[in-house]
Amino acid sequence: MTHPTHRTPDPTTAPTIGPTTVRGAGPVRAADTAVVGGGIVGLAHALAAARRGDRVVLFERDTYAVGASIRNFGMIWAVGQQRGAVYQRALRSREIWLELSAKTGMWAEPAGSLHLAHRPDELAVLEEFVATTPAAREHGTTMITAAEAARRGPAVRAEGLLGAMWSPTEVNVDPRRAVPAVAAHLAEEYGVDVRFGTTVRGIAAPRLSTTDGEWRADRIVVCSGNDFATLYPEVFRESGLVRCKLQMLRTGAQPDGWRLGPMLCGGLTLLHYAAFEDCTARAALDARMRAELPFHREHGIHVLLSQTADGRLTIGDSHAYAATHDPFASEEVNQAILGSLREFARIPDPRITERWTGCYPSLRDGRTELVADPEPGVTVVNGVGGAGMTLSFGLAEEVLGR
């Protein structure tokens, strides 16, 4: 994959940035690339365009990002991604996250992950994955003993643990801080004109009609997340996209500076991520889980545990797929998530301080993204599912390099 070079924008032509922008009626303004959507997918495409030297404007209708991009774990979870090109995309995204952290001081912890096996069928899937995935082994993924897993992760439940898979590639960020930090970096470092609180009402390339006036752009990238109706609704009607609703929880800061170390997950996670789909041992695990945990399988529950910089633990999640979801959270689902967590982890203070739901677009046919060109000069990018934090930076370089 060829990565775009970084050309510093010409200060005589770069657009005015950030909150100092004077808004109002006037002539049509211009940019090389316009991005619609201020979630992580849109931010990633703005970054990729800006690194090429484009003059970039980004429009987000909300006054700050409030969607799926801030309602997730903040896990950059390369090890779970589809083998091959998608895994490499995740690794490239990881590189960019660490570059941004080094430049901005944004917290990004390369904590790695532990997949814990308390049952023989879970261990069999992990062992098969490591044995049959040389790319993961090349990046440090390996099987470790139960004793070693307990040493690496202070929350690991050692009772009955048969072994674990260690992967060093996973990075943890706090999405509620990271997403605003990326937006600020785009404005400050690259002169991207970041326009929160601005709705794009219509596009007839190269023109965009917005609540902040008319714009022209040589290339327009639409990263509209859950909004399937405003721009190019026909693309979304034909795409097969549905919305995935999830439930998540968070504890308060853990006492005495206690740190989780590697992010943790258990057997249910092996049924969720595409990385494990080709493992022959997975069928036996799936059959047992359906028999023993029908509620979990019905509600798409698998359990991950991560920690924020200030010591809070993020726990989740569930997955329900439909065109439209009710806005309510099920406490039965929350309790099932917490019960599964207790099967593989012990934490000092498990009291829950926050509960929330999230919603993201998902493709249910195995595709990892939707990239469509509804008219010349316009590209729609959507459907990265629950892997937006993991894949968006790498995906954006691929899309803009087409």
Side-chain angles (χ1 to χ4, degrees), residues 25-166:
V28 175
R29 287 160 286 186
D32 299 315
T33 296
V35 177
V36 183
I40 192 60
V41 179
L43 294 173
H45 283 80
L47 176 65
R51 283 183 161 184
R52 300 191 315 178
D54 288 5
R55 296 174 303 156
V56 181
V57 60
L58 181 146
F59 302 102
E60 166 55 51
R61 65 183 179 185
D62 290 311
T63 53
Y64 59 94
V66 295
S69 295
I70 66 162
R71 302 189 200 188
N72 61 75
F73 291 95
M75 292 172 164
I76 317 308
W77 197 260
V79 71
Q81 304 311 308
Q82 190 179 97
R83 304 185 211 194
V86 180
Y87 178 64
Q88 296 302 321
R89 180 187 298 165
L91 293 176
R92 175 56 185 156
S93 294
R94 177 187 190 274
E95 290 178 8
I96 296 173
W97 276 111
L98 294 176
E99 290 169 7
L100 292 173
S101 174
K103 288 181 178 180
T104 66
M106 175 187 66
W107 180 75
E109 183 179 15
S113 65
L114 285 171
H115 286 65
L116 303 171
H118 284 85
R119 299 286 289 270
D121 50 8
E122 298 166 0
L123 188 65
V125 173
L126 294 172
E127 290 177 336
E128 182 180 349
F129 174 78
V130 173
T132 59
T133 315
R137 294 199 306 273
E138 289 167 9
H139 287 89
T141 301
T142 186
M143 294 300 297
I144 62 174
T145 66
E148 176 61 20
R151 283 194 294 269
R152 290 177 185 247
V156 169
R157 185 172 74 81
E159 300 88 349
L161 185 64
L162 302 177
M165 186 179 78
W166 157 251

